[in-house]
Amino acid sequence: AAYNKHGYLVHWGPVSGGQNWCSDVGRPCRTVIGSFKIYRKQGPGCISSKFPLPNGGAKMPYCMHFYRGYALHGSQLPGYHASHGCVRLFADDAKWINHNFAPIGTKVIVVR
């Protein structure tokens, strides 16, 4: 959900977070929870530098990094948590947030 500075909901959509266990890296991949700030944004050509292993290349359109390698980004939503920790949004929602709502420094609150 995206809320303006007055606390009003201005946009929302479903998301998919990190899975409990990632067999390719042999560890949990749950999305971090807490309060963060967007520190880096890219457009439709954003790609992962790490996944899939070993060389990356996964498409992450309209990515907005908020903690280490974690990002909000466009993707297909499988209906369950399936990422390596990123928060997947529908591509149109990621584009809207990236272009219309979230400048660098925007607060991101992740809850479970």
Side-chain angles (χ1 to χ4, degrees):
Y3 295 90
N4 68 16
K5 65 182 178 179
H6 304 292
Y8 293 106
L9 179 68
V10 295
H11 196 87
W12 73 274
V15 300
S16 173
Q19 54 191 315
N20 284 330
W21 184 262
C22 291
S23 58
D24 60 341
V25 294
R27 63 172 170 75
C29 293
R30 289 185 285 281
T31 304
V32 294
I33 56 173
S35 181
F36 310 95
K37 292 190 180 201
I38 292 175
Y39 67 86
R40 180 178 182 214
K41 289 173 46 170
Q42 292 176 266
C46 184
I47 59 169
S48 173
S49 61
K50 187 170 184 176
F51 297 106
L53 294 175
N55 301 316
K59 293 179 181 179
M60 301 176 20
Y62 306 103
C63 62
M64 295 159 277
H65 288 89
F66 62 89
Y67 178 74
R68 297 184 181 172
Y70 294 88
L72 305 163
H73 65 79
S75 186
Q76 298 212 349
L77 301 183
Y80 53 90
H81 297 304
S83 77
H84 282 88
C86 284
V87 178
R88 296 176 179 178
L89 299 80
F90 285 131
D92 287 344
D93 291 338
K95 181 179 180 180
W96 183 88
I97 291 170
N98 189 296
H99 285 183
N100 302 301
F101 184 77
I104 299 293
T106 297
K107 184 187 282 190
V108 173
I109 300 173
V110 180
V111 297
R112 197 169 294 149

